[in-house]
Amino acid sequence: MKVLFATDCFYPQIIGSAYAVYRISRALAAKGHKVMVVTPDVGGGSLQGDDNYRVTYVHSIPLPYFREIRTPIIPLPVMTKVRMFNPDIVHIHHPFVVGHGALWVARWYHIPVVITNHLLPESFLMFVPKAGIFDGATRSAILNNTWRIIVNFCNRADVVTAPTRTAVELLKLHGVKREVIPISNGIEFNKFNIDQKCDDLKQRLRLPDLPVILYAGRLSEEKRVDVLIKAMKYVLTEMEVHLLIVGDGLHRGYLEQLVAELKLDKYVTFAGFLDEHDYVRVFGLASVFVMPSQSELQCVACIEAMASGLPLVAANQYALRELIDGNGYLFEPGNPVDLAKKLVTILGDNELRTAMGRKSRIIAGAHDIDKVIEEYETVYEKLIRRYKCNQRYSLSTV
């Protein structure tokens, strides 16, 4: 098949959906499909293509208040690239300029369209000022309008996918009428080997010989890493542990200041972003993984931690609930005391922690990228057959 991916966020941008699109598109090409990705340029480097895989960039500008995200000014260059590739199917990942350009071309030339929703409007509110004219009703209006944009866009697809059952239910609840299928964003399961040696990494990060609590992800407000840092104050009254924070973002300065205010400098390490070799091994340094975010439609980092054999403690909110089944605990969102209690329980019981880690790895296996690709191939093939049948029927009635 010739598959075109249209995405407004793409590798090397540090955004979950950007990595998901990169992972899925590369895996499809590895199976022999011809794949082209159309995305805004990111102002640095380009990916080398091959016979089956090509990334093509359109000129873009950064958004005023969130410069990590870039957008084309008009969709015309996107439309031109889609038409030149002449795909069998168009797979769109965001309802913005690139997505709309690809959708218009696909509809004009009767090409089947799959739309994947990665967006949770509640997380957008972190970009809206919390005072002044944006109080109360205005913030609520922004939330409702964002949902309306997502729903209207999805209703123009042939099939909609979302990474979890929770994400599917949210789309239906807000008015999506098309068929919506849960398909995981997937992970490269075999990369996360629980027996990998990582002593050199531990030395470089200067970690003490203590149990390590790990967070990995973007450091932005909606991830609520502040709750995890505050929980450390309570955990340390029960046992000596160390918190390792992997990742970076706009909120890092505030979090470092919070660590200093709570006098936790000795017990917290900010590692920044790690290269892929170190990233897949960093889970081997930890005893437990924590995700305090309250706006997750899946959380690939959690699944990678589970594939590495780690127990999980996650906020009892949205799709994180789907990841806990005997392999960890949910805690009350935003409550550092409850989070601390769950961490102390796991860290204080080696047998429990080992059993939870084994269960984590079993659950994570269902998210292997090979299984994800098989599910997408089934969706694509069914849609292409349907369009061809409709085309034959139309010709036979002329």
Side-chain angles (χ1 to χ4, degrees):
M1 291 177 283
K2 290 179 72 177
V3 185
L4 183 130
F5 280 76
T7 176
D8 288 82
C9 302
F10 193 64
Y11 178 90
Q13 288 172 296
I14 311 300
I15 298 168
S17 61
Y19 275 91
V21 179
Y22 174 67
R23 192 164 43 245
I24 293 167
S25 61
R26 291 293 300 183
L28 271 167
K31 288 198 72 174
H33 303 291
K34 290 192 179 298
V35 177
M36 184 167 85
V37 180
V38 180
T39 187
D41 61 58
V42 291
S46 61
L47 296 174
Q48 296 299 316
D50 52 41
D51 289 344
N52 285 345
Y53 191 77
R54 185 152 51 99
V55 180
T56 182
Y57 297 96
V58 292
H59 179 67
S60 64
I61 59 172
L63 292 180
Y65 299 107
F66 192 40
R67 302 187 71 82
E68 294 175 38
I69 302 293
R70 298 178 65 93
T71 181
I73 300 171
I74 57 173
L76 185 59
V78 177
M79 298 165 73
T80 302
K81 291 178 185 296
V82 175
R83 183 67 194 108
M84 288 175 64
F85 184 61
N86 190 26
D88 297 314
I89 197 151
V90 170
H91 190 163
I92 302 171
H93 290 266
H94 302 94
F96 305 127
V97 177
V98 172
H100 274 92
L103 179 64
W104 290 336
V105 174
R107 286 289 161 252
W108 182 262
Y109 289 101
H110 305 289
I111 302 168
V113 173
V114 175
I115 291 176
T116 296
N117 180 54
H118 300 277
L119 305 176
L120 184 64
E122 283 77 357
S123 66
F124 283 3
L125 288 180
M126 72 176 197
F127 302 120
V128 178
K130 294 180 173 56
I133 62 170
F134 289 101
D135 282 349
T138 305
R139 292 173 65 83
S140 179
I142 291 170
L143 186 65
N144 293 335
N145 285 331
T146 306
W147 268 119
R148 193 173 296 116
I149 289 167
I150 292 170
V151 168
N152 290 342
F153 191 69
C154 287
N155 278 332
R156 297 176 67 190
D158 294 293
V159 169
V160 178
T161 73
T164 55
R165 295 188 305 275
T166 299
V168 168
E169 289 163 6
L170 282 168
L171 288 173
K172 290 180 176 178
L173 178 67
H174 285 89
V176 171
K177 304 301 180 187
R178 297 294 188 182
E179 179 184 12
V180 189
I181 303 170
I183 302 180
S184 174
N185 285 325
I187 64 163
E188 295 174 88
F189 183 79
N190 290 329
K191 278 190 175 181
F192 296 88
N193 184 340
I194 56 176
D195 296 322
Q196 291 187 85
K197 293 188 180 301
C198 42
D199 291 343
D200 61 315
L201 182 57
K202 180 178 179 179
Q203 256 187 338
R204 275 190 282 126
L205 294 175
R206 298 180 181 178
L207 298 179
D209 289 324
L210 293 172
V212 171
I213 299 168
L214 176 64
Y215 166 85
R218 198 169 66 253
L219 301 185
S220 53
E221 185 178 345
E222 88 279 11
K223 296 297 183 180
R224 298 309 311 272
V225 181
D226 59 309
V227 176
L228 174 54
I229 290 170
K230 291 171 185 173
M232 280 291 289
K233 211 50 178 166
Y234 300 99
V235 174
L236 288 167
T237 63
E238 301 288 334
M239 59 180 63
E240 272 207 298
V241 296
H242 196 83
L243 172 60
L244 175 58
I245 298 174
V246 173
D248 213 332
L250 298 175
H251 216 46
R252 178 167 175 170
Y254 164 75
L255 296 173
E256 289 176 330
Q257 184 180 347
L258 180 61
V259 167
E261 288 174 359
L262 295 175
K263 296 181 172 53
L264 294 173
D265 306 73
K266 178 183 172 184
Y267 298 101
V268 180
T269 295
F270 287 88
F273 287 120
L274 301 176
D275 63 32
E276 185 178 2
H277 174 69
D278 286 339
Y279 178 75
V280 298
R281 297 189 305 144
V282 77
F283 297 98
L285 298 175
S287 298
V288 62
F289 186 84
V290 179
M291 180 49 65
S293 171
Q294 294 175 217
S295 57
E296 297 297 315
L297 284 183
Q298 183 166 56
C299 187
V300 166
C302 286
I303 301 170
E304 290 170 338
M306 291 159 58
S308 304
L310 290 181
L312 181 65
V313 180
N316 188 8
Q317 188 87 0
Y318 292 118
L320 293 178
R321 300 183 184 112
E322 294 185 33
L323 296 177
I324 302 294
D325 183 13
N327 62 315
Y329 294 122
L330 294 167
F331 73 94
E332 182 185 347
N335 187 335
V337 177
D338 191 37
L339 171 54
K341 287 178 181 176
K342 301 298 182 358
L343 287 171
V344 168
T345 300
I346 291 175
L347 292 169
D349 189 333
N350 290 336
E351 195 173 312
L352 174 67
R353 189 169 67 254
T354 301
M356 284 182 167
R358 280 197 297 265
K359 188 67 185 291
S360 273
R361 193 158 164 81
I362 292 168
I363 296 170
H367 298 270
D368 183 57
I369 191 66
D370 290 340
K371 295 179 182 179
V372 170
I373 295 308
E374 287 175 7
E375 292 181 68
Y376 272 122
E377 285 175 321
T378 301
V379 171
Y380 295 162
E381 288 165 0
K382 190 182 294 185
L383 272 180
I384 291 168
R385 280 198 304 270
R386 185 197 304 171
Y387 266 66
K388 285 181 177 176
C389 286
N390 289 343
Q391 201 171 44
R392 284 197 294 271
Y393 175 77
S394 298
L395 288 171
S396 69
T397 58
V398 174

